[in-house]
Amino acid sequence: MANTIDSPVSALGESFDVALLDSARVFAIEVAADTTATHTLAGTTTLVTIAVGLDATAAGLTLVRGSAYDAAKAWPLLPGYLPFGVPGGSRDLHFNATADTVVWVMEN
């Protein structure tokens, strides 16, 4: 995988792919209130870290990975750094928020 290393991170010796910090693959996504913003992942991306709540207005932020935003399938994003595996499938991330906010996406 591009921009990853295998890193044992548990006492059981399990190995996980860890994304390397590459500022060329960090994206700030502005999400206006009650609208959907889309970010398209690179074809080689298999891991993302999403940073939520770095401003005071991240409440009501949801995410859908697919061809279009679907409120019934939207995943609520809580504040923090959220790692997700994204091997195969749709390359589009659709963000929706109840207030203006910025979401950061780091791809491996």
Side-chain angles (χ1 to χ4, degrees):
M1 284 181 255
N3 282 349
T4 61
I5 59 172
D6 288 332
S7 175
V9 293
S10 78
L12 301 175
E14 296 161 326
S15 181
F16 297 90
D17 283 319
V18 177
L20 299 178
L21 178 59
D22 180 351
S23 293
R25 295 176 67 99
V26 172
F27 305 92
I29 316 303
E30 294 185 18
V31 185
D34 299 319
T35 64
T36 299
T38 301
H39 174 71
T40 301
L41 301 171
T44 58
T45 297
T46 56
L47 297 169
V48 296
T49 298
I50 298 175
V52 176
L54 302 179
D55 59 10
T57 60
L61 183 66
T62 57
L63 167 66
V64 171
R65 180 180 177 211
S67 59
Y69 184 81
D70 180 346
K73 296 184 180 207
W75 186 255
L77 296 176
L78 299 174
Y81 292 92
L82 310 167
F84 293 102
V86 289
S90 175
R91 307 316 292 160
D92 293 331
L93 302 178
H94 303 278
F95 297 93
N96 187 283
T98 58
D100 292 353
T101 192
V102 177
V103 179
W104 284 264
V105 175
M106 183 179 75
E107 302 181 29
N108 72 323

